[in-house]
Every structure is written in C-alpha cells, then in structure tokens.
Amino acid sequence: MTQSNTILPPLTERSGIIRWVRKNLFGSWLDAFLTIIGAFIIYWAVKGLFTWVFTVAEWQVVATNLRLFIIGQYPLEQAWRLWVALAFLMFLTGNSLGIWARKSYFATILLLAFPVLLTLFPFGDEPRKWLIILTIVGVIGWGIGRTASEKLSRIVIFGWVISLPIFILLTRGFTPEDGIMPIVGTNLWGGLLLTFLLTVVGIIFSFPLGVLLALGRRSELPAIRFASILYIELVRGVPLITVFFMAQLMLPLFLPPNITIDRVLRAMVAVTLFSAAYLAENVRGGLQAIPKGQFEAAHALGLNGLQTMYFIILPQALRLIIPILVGQFIAVFKDTALVAIVGLFDLVGIAKTVLAQPDFLGLQREVYVFISLIYWVLSYGMSYLSQQLEIKLGVGKR
Amino acid sequence: MTQEGEIIISVKDVHKWYGEYHALKGVGMEVKKGEVIVIFGPSGSGKSTFIRTINRLEDHQRGQIIVHGTELTHDIRNIEAIRMDTGMVFQQFNLFPHLTVMQNIVLSPIQVRKWTKAKAEEIAMQLLERVGIPEQAQKFPGQLSGGQQQRVAIARALAMQPKIMLFDEPTSALDPEMIKEVLDVMVELAKSGMTMLVVTHEMGFARAVADRMFFFDEGQIVESGTPQEIFKSPKEERTKLFLSQILSH
C-alpha cells in the first residue's frame, strides 16, 4: 500500500452518481417528494410528446409541402441558382472556419455536416444531391482555409462582403425570360428563403444604421442628437406590425399611382428601420460602458474623434454587447414572421396557405411544430455561434 | 529655435470652472525646454486639472496657454497640433485593452503621423527595450502587471516623438513594489533631456531630477522653487504643513 498525504474531501463532496443523486435529489423528505412529483410530470409530458410525434401526427403534410416551406412558389427549374448561391456561402463558411476557428472542431464539424444531416428529411433526389455537394464544397473551403495565408483571409472577407449581393442577384436573376437567369419576381419568393433574406438584409443594414444612430444620440451637435433621439423614440414607440402596415398599405396611398415599390423591398426596409432603433440603444449601452480614460488616452495620442471611435471605442463597445446584439438579431429573425399578416409568404405565410388547402385541414399542430423547429434550430445556431465568437474574442480581455 | 532656455510652455492667468466650482484660480507658469517640473499638492488642489489643460483634455475659460508656439483655443487644428507634440501618461494607464502592447504603441504613429507599419513597429520595439519589456510586445495589457502596463503607456506616448511629456500621478495606482520600475524609466527620460511636467507625490523622484517644483493648493500655485528651496526652506505655512504630512512616515 502506498502512503498518501492528500486529505480526502468529506463524503458529500466526492463524485459518484449515487452520491450525487442522494445529495441533490433526495437530500431531505421534501426533496424526495418533489423529485418524485417532477419525475412523474416529465414522464407524462415526454410520453405524450413521443406518442404524438410517432403515432398520431400526420407528417405527410410537411413532407408533401417541403418545397413550399423552403422556397415558396420559386420556380423549380430555377432552384439550381439558389443551390449555387448556398454553395458559395458554404464555401466561405468552410474557408472562414479553416482560417479563424481552427480549434473549434465541434462547431466546424457541426456546420459542415449540417447539409448532409438534412438529407434525413424527405427531400427529393435532386435536393439531396445538392445538399451533399454543399458539404463537399464546405469541406474543400475548410481545407483551403487551413493552409491560408494572410492574403487569402482578405479575399474571404471580401467574399463575405459581396455574398449578400451575389445571393440576391442569383435569387432574382438578371436576364429576360429566355436567358440563362430569367428574372424571378419577388412575389414568387417565399418560405424559408424569404424569411432568410428578410432577416439577413434586416441585420446587415440595420447594424451600421444603429451604430450611426447611437453615435448621433451622443453627438455634441444638438441637431444631430435631437434627430437621433426623435427617430429612436418614435420607432421604439410603435409595434413592428404597424410599421409593416404602414409600408404595405399606407405607403402606396402617398405615392403617385405610376410608382410602385416592390412589396418585399418595402418589408426589408421596414425591418431594417425598425431594428436600427433598437440596435442604436444597445450600442449606446455599450458606448456608455467604455471608461472615459479610453477617450482621453486616444485624444492625448492625437487621434481625432472619428479615429477614436473607429479604433478604440467601437471595437470595445461592440465586443461588450455581442450577447445583446445576437439577441436583437434573433429577434429580427423571429419578427419577420409578422410579414405573413400583411400578405407575404414567409415561413408563417406559407404555413397558412398550406393549412388552407382542403387536403390538409386541421393539421395546424404538425405544420406549426415543424416551422417552430426551423425557427428554433436557426435561432439556437445563431446563439451558439455568438458564444463561440465571445470565447474567441475574450482572449486577452481584462 | 532650439537654443537653451527657450520657453516651450507658457501659461498665463488660467481659470477653470466646473459649473460653480472654481477649480483653477489664475495659474501662471513658464516652462523651458528640457526642464523637469514636479507639481504636488493635496487632492482637489487643481494640479491634475492644470496638467490636463495643457493638452486640452480640460478646456480653460480664462487666460492663455501657449504650447510650443501654438495657442490653445477652441480651434481643433491647434488642439490636434499640440496633442501630436505632447505625450501623456495617466494614473490608470488607460491602455487599450483590446489591442496588443505592440498595437497600442503603433496605432497613433501609423494613423496620425502616417508612418509605415514597419517603421512604427521598429521604433516601438526600440521603445519597449528602453522601458525594459521588449518580450511583452505581443501580449494584451490585461496580461501585464501594473508596473509593466505603465511602462507600456510611457512607450506609447513616446512613440509619437513628443516634445513634452505630461505625467498625471503615474505611480499612484501602482503596488509599492512596482513604483520603482516606473520611476526608473521616468528618471532615465528626464536625464535624456525631455521636457516633463509631473504631478506626483514621489518626493524622492522630485529631489533626484526636478528642476523646479510647484506646490498647488485650492486652485492656486502657493509656492515654487528648486527642490533645494522647497525641501530645505519652504516659505509658506501651507507648504510646510503639507510636506510634513507626506514626509512624516
């Protein structure tokens, strides 16, 4: 026997499943009582859920209309363009993971394998083929990213900058009817595609606008400050749905009859303007958290106001508010569901049309559970990525 | 232009109010090139406020401040010109926590002086060697001790190749064992001929390198003189009292 000088912790502090259970679940008579009650409730709920999911629910409604949920009325023979656009995004994603997230193996595998996992859903052969291509493209991009030089990382950043215009260009098309990419009107955009575009456009454009409004609200020039406050408080004081109604129903009344603005574009602008006001307040919170000494040090070094903001204050302020920003982005994503009320066919809009078909009457539960699942997966994805980003950026922080 | 005895900072009858509070009540001072000035006095005496008016971190409401031939007014170009020639070291270091030590130092030379990255980094390395921590260049400020951070802050200010260095209580936030490493750098700097205005209670430092000392109380200069005069035969009662308080232990 070997002699050991280490003093063992008391029994209650040692690990072991049985000890853990005794300590945490059956520590006292009340604990034991609550544990048993809780176990019954969980059993009852899970059993009910499983029974419904596997025996009662008629998932046929989802399988049959899967294409509608994903792209709405977008013409099937043009769907390859969306796949190409997605492949471009996937390549960039793989590339970026290879360059900047070399240690996040779990996130990398999850993101790259995601398309292949989707083949478990009852897509047709054509989408399945594309989904596999997406993963392959992602892995190739990742491989190139691993060997990256500094030059490549600049190209990738440029790639991200042009990714949204490219996505929209491919989605919309730019040639007449008989060309290689005939224009697909936005009235045919729908489902997850429309939700995705509304969200991405909303986030990308509201972010700089929100930052400018936040800076404006702190400006020393009264006119700019007052205008910013007016905008922020006005927009924050009304519900998003009324902004959508304004954009879709009121705006045409004020425009000359020969001018029409695309309905989807109007929704995008509404989301952007609405979200910017909230973002502005979040960013302002971040700006206020930066100590005065940072401004003073920057000024003392001769940096002007703009340089101080760009190099010193904003990078710190935005890093502080990553969780809040992502919260706002998730809110934008979910809030786009309101466009269904003003007649656009996003995920919720499509769900309503599917349920209006005589074949699928009374299947609300299946349809809404399904789209909730899509919303949840993507929202949680954003949340997870933001946590990874925080960990990565946390390096060297005070 | 640069002959001995040239006046580089000229302050005349400067007043400063924070709302109703009269923080500076007619302060005047002339500093010659290469002089080391130590400013001391009880807290709330206006000494920090005064040093911060010299690079316009605080504005003055009356009087005149001329730094290196440029008068400080509301004209932003004058303010920027003076800030380029004036380095400042703060009590709380105020390093930029999201940038590495190297990035902290080269940011302003590249952005304001428009140096190339290579030149700025070369000079930054020389300065880090001068303050004794070249091996910390790639670390973030949060990974350094207080004394090391303050030395980085000094290197950062020196990277702009200022004519004047302002120190606002540079050792007051440091643990006792780290004060010496910062003072050593400051002594070396003083001996190299840098014009320095130092707000500090480190009387050892004052005795060693100060050319003149100014005692501030209640927004005014109560007494000034060489360290010899101030320590040996202070004229004013308030100076005597204050010195006896900070030197008694």
Side-chain angles (χ1 to χ4, degrees):
Chain A
M1 250 181 72
T2 48
Q3 279 283 332
S4 169
N5 287 329
T6 35
I7 299 171
L8 291 172
L11 274 176
T12 50
E13 297 303 316
R14 289 186 217 167
S15 55
I17 293 171
I18 294 173
R19 280 203 194 91
W20 185 89
V21 167
R22 277 193 70 166
K23 185 182 164 203
N24 291 290
L25 299 180
F26 296 95
S28 67
W29 281 108
L30 182 64
D31 283 1
F33 177 71
L34 289 176
T35 300
I36 290 165
I37 296 281
F40 268 111
I41 292 174
I42 292 171
Y43 172 76
W44 174 76
V46 170
K47 182 169 178 268
L49 187 71
F50 269 70
T51 315
W52 181 76
V53 166
F54 291 108
T55 62
V56 182
E58 296 178 38
W59 294 113
Q60 202 54 38
V61 59
V62 171
T64 315
N65 297 294
L66 202 52
R67 183 177 68 91
L68 274 178
F69 282 115
I70 306 299
I71 58 175
Q73 300 285 350
Y74 199 89
L76 207 51
E77 68 278 7
Q78 299 298 334
W80 63 272
R81 285 150 47 173
L82 302 177
W83 288 112
V84 170
L86 276 179
F88 181 64
L89 288 187
M90 202 65 198
F91 182 80
L92 286 175
T93 305
N95 234 244
S96 307
L97 288 167
I99 295 173
W100 291 293
R102 290 189 183 171
K103 283 175 194 146
S104 320
Y105 288 108
F106 187 68
T108 303
I109 292 169
L110 203 66
L111 271 168
L112 294 183
F114 188 63
V116 166
L117 290 179
L118 286 181
T119 58
L120 296 174
F121 283 87
F123 290 103
D125 287 341
E126 183 74 6
R128 283 202 167 113
K129 188 185 80 189
W130 277 105
L131 284 169
I132 293 168
I133 290 176
L134 285 187
T135 288
I136 294 172
V137 168
V139 171
I140 292 172
W142 179 77
I144 295 172
R146 294 281 290 182
T147 62
S149 60
E150 198 167 326
K151 205 172 166 192
L152 183 78
S153 64
R154 278 200 205 130
I155 296 173
V156 175
I157 291 171
F158 179 73
W160 280 115
V161 171
I162 60 166
S163 62
L164 178 65
I166 283 186
F167 199 100
I168 289 180
L169 190 72
L170 282 170
T171 307
R172 185 170 178 279
F174 48 85
T175 63
E177 200 70 43
D178 48 356
I180 50 161
M181 284 208 188
I183 290 176
V184 178
T186 56
N187 55 327
L188 298 178
W189 302 8
L192 184 59
L193 171 69
L194 182 60
T195 297
F196 173 75
L197 283 173
L198 283 171
T199 306
V200 172
V201 168
I203 288 172
I204 289 181
F205 288 96
S206 67
F207 181 66
L209 191 59
V211 171
L212 286 179
L213 282 167
L215 295 178
R217 191 163 187 169
R218 283 167 58 101
S219 169
E220 284 166 14
L221 305 170
I224 294 178
R225 188 172 62 241
F226 185 70
S228 303
I229 293 175
L230 188 71
Y231 178 86
I232 292 167
E233 296 305 339
L234 207 62
V235 173
R236 290 208 313 162
V238 296
L240 177 57
I241 188 65
T242 60
V243 179
F244 279 132
F245 273 119
M246 286 281 236
Q248 302 296 351
L249 304 173
M250 303 275 285
L251 194 63
L253 298 178
F254 297 110
L255 290 173
N258 51 346
I259 294 181
T260 53
I261 302 175
D262 189 278
R263 280 161 57 85
V264 169
L265 182 65
R266 273 184 270 164
M268 285 173 172
V269 171
V271 171
T272 302
L273 295 180
F274 188 79
S275 170
Y278 283 86
L279 274 173
E281 287 300 273
N282 296 340
V283 173
R284 190 166 69 97
L287 291 174
Q288 279 170 349
I290 305 300
K292 201 163 149 251
Q294 294 287 307
F295 289 89
E296 291 179 347
H299 288 151
L301 284 166
L303 296 171
N304 64 31
L306 213 61
Q307 290 168 328
T308 302
M309 270 298 156
Y310 183 78
F311 292 109
I312 309 301
I313 307 304
L314 276 178
Q316 295 185 59
L318 295 180
R319 180 181 307 190
L320 278 177
I321 58 166
I322 287 174
I324 309 171
L325 283 181
V326 174
Q328 177 62 25
F329 293 160
I330 290 173
V332 169
F333 173 52
K334 293 186 297 187
D335 285 351
T336 59
L338 287 170
V339 297
I341 294 176
V342 290
L344 294 182
F345 296 104
D346 75 318
L347 262 180
V348 174
I350 290 287
K352 280 166 50 180
T353 51
V354 165
L355 289 168
Q357 296 172 34
D359 291 354
F360 305 117
L361 287 177
L363 297 177
Q364 282 89 345
R365 270 181 297 188
E366 286 81 354
V367 168
Y368 283 114
V369 163
F370 174 67
I371 64 169
S372 299
L373 190 69
I374 295 182
Y375 278 112
W376 181 80
V377 167
L378 293 176
S379 297
Y380 182 71
M382 280 195 256
S383 178
Y384 176 76
L385 288 179
S386 89
Q387 285 163 29
Q388 296 298 310
L389 187 69
E390 271 180 80
I391 294 168
K392 195 161 163 56
L393 289 179
V395 178
K397 240 185 111 183
R398 270 184 298 201
Chain B
M1 271 289 283
T2 57
Q3 78 271 22
E4 206 58 38
E6 178 204 348
I7 289 171
I8 195 164
I9 300 173
S10 162
V11 181
K12 285 188 188 123
D13 190 34
V14 161
H15 290 258
K16 163 86 189 165
W17 286 266
Y18 293 105
E20 291 287 298
Y21 179 67
H22 201 174
L24 293 177
K25 303 172 185 166
V27 175
M29 184 186 293
E30 285 191 334
V31 181
K32 296 197 206 75
K33 197 171 161 49
E35 264 193 310
V36 176
I37 305 289
V38 164
I39 296 166
F40 67 110
S43 67
S45 61
K47 55 193 191 307
S48 280
T49 306
F50 169 70
I51 201 173
R52 289 154 59 89
T53 59
I54 292 175
N55 66 350
R56 194 79 174 186
L57 288 183
E58 306 282 354
D59 56 352
H60 57 285
Q61 284 112 10
R62 228 168 80 189
Q64 185 187 46
I65 301 176
I66 298 174
V67 181
H68 205 243
T70 310
E71 182 174 358
L72 272 175
T73 58
H74 286 287
D75 190 335
I76 191 77
R77 280 164 304 177
N78 287 359
I79 296 172
E80 281 174 4
I82 287 171
R83 283 176 178 168
M84 273 174 80
D85 281 342
T86 314
M88 187 159 202
V89 176
F90 300 86
Q91 182 178 357
Q92 300 295 341
F93 328 137
N94 293 348
L95 293 177
F96 306 131
H98 62 303
L99 301 177
T100 63
V101 165
M102 178 56 86
Q103 289 167 335
N104 262 278
I105 299 175
V106 299
L107 177 69
S108 194
I110 291 174
Q111 297 302 329
V112 180
R113 289 236 185 260
K114 308 293 177 199
W115 292 354
T116 62
K117 191 169 176 235
K119 180 186 176 188
E121 288 189 344
E122 192 191 321
I123 289 176
M125 267 331 275
Q126 288 168 6
L127 286 168
L128 281 175
E129 261 158 47
R130 188 169 168 190
V131 301
I133 40 174
E135 71 284 356
Q136 313 286 0
Q138 298 312 323
K139 290 201 185 152
F140 286 91
Q143 296 166 298
L144 305 185
S145 71
Q148 289 171 329
Q149 290 193 46
Q150 193 60 299
R151 287 189 278 162
V152 171
I154 294 173
R156 179 176 72 175
L158 289 175
M160 285 295 281
Q161 303 194 324
K163 310 275 192 306
I164 302 159
M165 284 287 283
L166 308 173
F167 292 84
D168 187 3
E169 305 207 31
T171 56
S172 302
L174 293 174
D175 291 337
E177 77 272 21
M178 292 169 186
I179 291 175
K180 186 176 176 299
E181 65 188 55
V182 172
L183 288 180
D184 285 348
V185 171
M186 289 169 61
V187 167
E188 187 267 327
L189 193 61
K191 287 182 175 160
S192 75
M194 175 66 74
T195 310
M196 291 163 68
L197 266 71
V198 186
V199 174
T200 186
H201 292 146
E202 293 297 330
M203 289 301 136
F205 171 81
R207 219 184 294 259
V209 293
D211 294 304
R212 281 189 292 156
M213 297 175 69
F214 288 80
F215 176 62
F216 270 61
D217 196 14
E218 293 179 355
Q220 284 173 314
I221 295 174
V222 175
E223 184 168 0
S224 69
T226 63
Q228 192 85 10
E229 293 163 355
I230 296 285
F231 289 122
K232 289 277 163 53
S233 49
K235 293 191 227 31
E236 299 289 329
E237 270 315 306
R238 278 190 282 176
T239 319
K240 277 180 206 165
L241 181 66
F242 184 74
L243 279 174
S244 73
Q245 280 164 347
I246 63 169
L247 293 174
S248 63
H249 49 83

